[in-house]
């Protein structure tokens, strides 16, 4: 349900807690598509920026990792999205992901490290792990143990808010 998803919860939190300090109204447009990979993000970024966003939260790559897509391919795709945002002067928060060790230690470590490298290479803010406190916690996920339940979405909204509010408060 849309009202239980973290983008909706984040918008409420931004407008209740940050808007009184900044005098701005925040609208969060949820561009997420369940099962989407970074290549899907590349194919949709031009469409999304037609809305002329002031800020982009890039939270892609997790499904790439779960599918074993090469880290180089995922990194290339995320880099293209970050470059597109930068070219349009859209500030960005990159939300990092971690994956279970199904594809071995080297892949898992390379995947996790990719987000730090992208943030450094593109001089963008990084939330190291979007699902902190949610990933791997059966009480915060649906029975599939992959997708967050409503309680998990509340934690994700808080995770994003903690990083995003600092960034937004510092913007001119």
């Amino acid at each position: 349900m849309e009202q239980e998803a973290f983008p909706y919860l984040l918008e409420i939190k931004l407008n209740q807690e940050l808007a009184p300090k900044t005098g701005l109204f925040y609208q969060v447009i949820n561009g997420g598509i369940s099962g989407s990979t970074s290549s899907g993000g590349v194919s949709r970024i031009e469409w999304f920026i037609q809305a002329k966003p002031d800020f982009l939260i890039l939270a892609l790559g997790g499904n790439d990792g779960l599918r074993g897509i090469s880290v180089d391919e995922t990194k290339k795709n995320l880099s293209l999205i970050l470059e597109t945002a930068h070219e349009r002067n859209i500030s960005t928060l990159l939300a990092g992901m971690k994956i279970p060790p199904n594809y071995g230690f080297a892949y898992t470590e390379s995947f996790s490290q990719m987000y730090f490298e992208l943030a450094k290479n593109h001089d963008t803010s990084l939330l190291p792990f979007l699902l902190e406190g949610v990933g791997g916690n059966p009480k915060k996920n649906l029975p599939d143990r992959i997708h967050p339940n409503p309680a998990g979405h509340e934690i994700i909204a808080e995770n994003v808010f903690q990083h995003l509010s600092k960034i937004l408060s510092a913007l001119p």
Side-chain angles (χ1 to χ4, degrees):
M1 178 178 275
E2 185 179 339
Q3 291 83 3
E4 295 175 332
F6 92 84
Y8 181 86
L9 299 171
L10 177 62
E11 181 177 297
I12 291 171
K13 197 163 190 57
L14 286 167
N15 285 305
Q16 287 178 346
E17 297 183 33
L18 189 60
K21 297 173 188 171
T22 64
L24 299 172
F25 172 77
Y26 298 95
Q27 179 183 14
V28 177
I29 300 169
N30 184 357
I33 296 175
S34 183
S36 182
T37 62
S38 62
S39 64
V42 169
S43 69
R44 294 188 314 273
I45 188 63
E46 290 294 335
W47 182 81
F48 283 124
I49 60 174
Q50 288 178 14
K52 300 190 185 320
D54 296 311
F55 202 93
L56 172 69
I57 301 169
L58 180 55
L60 281 172
N63 288 318
D64 295 55
L66 292 174
R67 294 177 185 179
I69 294 171
S70 85
V71 173
D72 287 341
E73 180 69 19
T74 302
K75 188 174 183 180
K76 180 185 85 164
N77 291 334
L78 294 176
S79 189
L80 284 169
I81 295 167
L82 290 168
E83 287 169 13
T84 301
H86 179 74
E87 289 167 2
R88 306 298 197 301
N89 295 316
I90 302 168
S91 298
T92 307
L93 171 63
L94 177 62
M97 292 297 294
K98 296 178 183 179
I99 56 167
N102 301 24
Y103 296 107
F105 180 77
Y107 181 86
T108 303
E109 284 299 305
S110 179
F111 182 88
S112 179
Q113 191 60 33
M114 166 185 68
Y115 291 95
F116 292 93
E117 293 167 6
L118 284 164
K120 181 180 177 188
N121 293 344
H122 292 276
D123 192 27
T124 193
S125 300
L126 175 68
L127 187 164
F129 183 37
L130 177 67
L131 302 177
E132 188 69 46
V134 176
N137 183 341
K139 293 180 181 176
K140 305 299 179 192
N141 286 279
L142 297 173
D144 67 6
R145 301 187 75 150
I146 296 172
H147 296 94
N149 63 23
H153 278 279
E154 289 180 22
I155 292 170
I156 296 167
E158 181 64 30
N159 291 344
V160 175
F161 177 80
Q162 290 304 316
H163 282 78
L164 186 59
S165 62
K166 292 174 191 165
I167 298 165
L168 294 176
S169 293
L171 290 177

